[in-house]
Amino acid sequence: GKPSRSFCKALAKFASTSEAAELKEIAEGARFKELQDLSVSFFDIFKMFPSAKPSLAHLLGLLPAMKWRLYSIANSADYTPGVIELTVVINQWPSKGGLKTGTSTKYIQKLKVGDRIAATMTNGTFTFPKDDRTPMVMTGLGTGIAPIRSFVQDRMYKKTVLKKEVGPMVVFYGCRHEREEFFYKEEWELYKKEGVLTTLINAFSHDKPHYPPKMIFVN
């Protein structure tokens, strides 16, 4: 999360007189918007006001618990057993303070092959048809294509390994640029060749001839 006005006001209680006054000014005035434009973090605030040194107990009360980042699993456990695949884009954005990188993606970016990490799993919210012959129409945006890939792989496994009859699948895949964000391009062709994926419809919103001035959107 990002530092709030109430955080700056509370932190002032642990700072020197001059820095406390500055923190209160930020909490109550227009300077707070300036810090927002810089995309400052809690750590940045502590570096800006080194005299603010709350105890560990107070620190735990001041800082909100970091929320976990959920990623959709991008593969079928039957089609590719023993692995969990994710589709992750490094989240970066420009600010007045320079280029910023998301906390979770920065962590993932620094991982090396073989590193062990702490992770948990939660149940998804998708409801699947009980009959594998039921047609499925799916829409994915950018990395949101991850669960759709796993659904297609599931039917791929059922058709090619279990020899079951499966219904048609149509996927609408939207992203900004084909070259940078059209993931698993070769795989979609394989699924179509095997008769699992009926149609793949792309919407590259920021590629010519759609942009500019015309854009195609998948919502």
Side-chain angles (χ1 to χ4, degrees):
K2 297 180 180 179
S4 62
R5 291 181 183 271
S6 59
F7 167 78
C8 294
K9 186 176 181 179
L11 187 63
K13 299 177 182 178
F14 305 95
S16 64
T17 303
S18 60
E19 290 190 352
E22 192 174 352
L23 280 164
K24 290 178 181 177
E25 180 185 351
I26 292 172
E28 299 170 359
R31 278 196 62 194
F32 181 75
K33 178 63 169 60
E34 295 176 10
L35 293 183
Q36 282 187 316
D37 291 339
L38 293 172
S39 292
V40 298
S41 64
F42 290 103
F43 184 57
D44 292 330
I45 294 291
F46 280 110
K47 288 192 295 183
M48 291 170 61
F49 302 97
S51 70
K53 297 179 180 179
S55 66
L56 178 60
H58 285 113
L59 185 64
L60 294 176
L62 284 171
L63 298 177
M66 183 179 292
K67 297 180 180 179
W68 56 71
R69 176 69 166 87
L70 296 177
Y71 293 97
S72 296
I73 294 176
N75 66 299
S76 163
D78 291 320
Y79 186 71
T80 52
V83 298
I84 293 178
E85 298 178 5
L86 305 176
T87 305
V88 180
V89 168
I90 303 302
N91 183 25
Q92 294 183 318
W93 67 95
S95 73
K96 292 183 178 179
L99 187 66
K100 298 290 185 177
T101 303
T103 303
S104 296
T105 49
K106 180 188 291 185
Y107 172 73
I108 292 174
Q109 190 179 31
K110 292 181 178 180
L111 291 175
K112 298 180 178 63
V113 175
D115 285 351
R116 297 174 64 88
I117 64 170
T120 186
M121 295 182 66
T122 183
N123 292 327
T125 58
F126 293 99
T127 301
F128 298 95
K130 295 181 179 179
D131 189 342
D132 291 320
R133 295 170 297 180
T134 302
M136 293 181 68
V137 178
M138 299 166 287
T139 301
L141 302 175
T143 56
I145 201 67
I148 294 174
R149 177 179 181 249
S150 69
F151 306 157
V152 176
Q153 285 188 356
D154 179 66
R155 284 200 171 177
M156 180 77 164
Y157 173 79
K158 290 173 179 176
K159 178 179 175 65
T160 60
V161 178
L162 301 184
K163 307 302 180 182
K164 296 180 66 174
E165 181 182 354
V166 297
M169 303 185 84
V170 176
V171 174
F172 290 86
Y173 187 169
C175 57
R176 290 170 297 182
H177 302 288
E178 177 180 7
R179 182 176 179 180
E180 299 171 3
E181 299 167 309
F182 184 21
F183 306 122
Y184 311 116
K185 185 175 182 178
E186 294 77 13
E187 286 189 27
W188 303 121
E189 293 301 321
L190 172 63
Y191 303 144
K192 286 196 289 185
K193 182 180 178 181
E194 293 293 337
V196 176
L197 179 60
T198 309
T199 305
L200 175 68
I201 301 172
N202 293 111
F204 305 120
S205 62
H206 286 58
D207 282 350
K208 293 180 179 181
H210 311 300
Y211 183 88
K214 179 182 177 184
M215 291 190 288
I216 292 179
F217 289 96
V218 173
N219 292 311

